[in-house]
Amino acid sequence: MAKGIHISTMRAMLNSGDPCDLVLLTKDGHVQRWKDAISISYNAQTGTRKCRLQKSREIRQCRDVLILQINSLYVYL
């Protein structure tokens, strides 16, 4: 059975600064997989987060509510 965690636990995991594997939805509705993403900032007003992907050193932005999985754990609201 797949395990799930609350979104507040996911935020704590991302705020720790450790690399995480994320599965998330884009604004187009596509599913993306980010390997070894490190959260570098979080905006509480908009609910957006900037993450650096370790392999490509690319910085990407996502919304916390659109993250489906973190480290193979499902995220629920």
Side-chain angles (χ1 to χ4, degrees), residues 1 27 36 62:
M1 178 175 202
K27 63 181 178 181
D36 295 329
C62 68

Side-chain angles (χ1 to χ4, degrees), residues 12-69:
M13 290 171 71
L14 287 169
N15 290 338
S16 72
D18 296 330
C20 301
D21 294 336
L22 301 175
V23 176
L24 54 110
L25 286 175
T26 64
K27 63 181 178 181
D28 309 1
H30 296 94
V31 176
Q32 286 189 352
R33 299 185 194 306
W34 294 357
K35 297 271 187 192
D36 295 329
I38 296 177
S39 176
I40 55 176
S41 69
Y42 176 65
N43 185 340
Q45 287 183 327
T46 60
T48 58
R49 178 178 303 277
K50 288 186 181 179
C51 294
R52 173 177 284 133
L53 305 180
Q54 287 297 90
K55 188 174 182 180
S56 65
R57 307 298 286 171
E58 184 177 11
I59 296 176
R60 295 204 173 177
Q61 185 171 350
C62 68
R63 292 189 180 275
D64 277 1
V65 296
L66 296 179
I67 297 175
L68 304 174
Q69 291 181 16

Side-chain angles (χ1 to χ4, degrees), residues 1-14:
M1 178 175 202
K3 296 194 177 197
I5 59 171
H6 193 261
I7 192 168
S8 61
T9 307
M10 178 208 66
R11 286 184 177 135
M13 290 171 71
L14 287 169

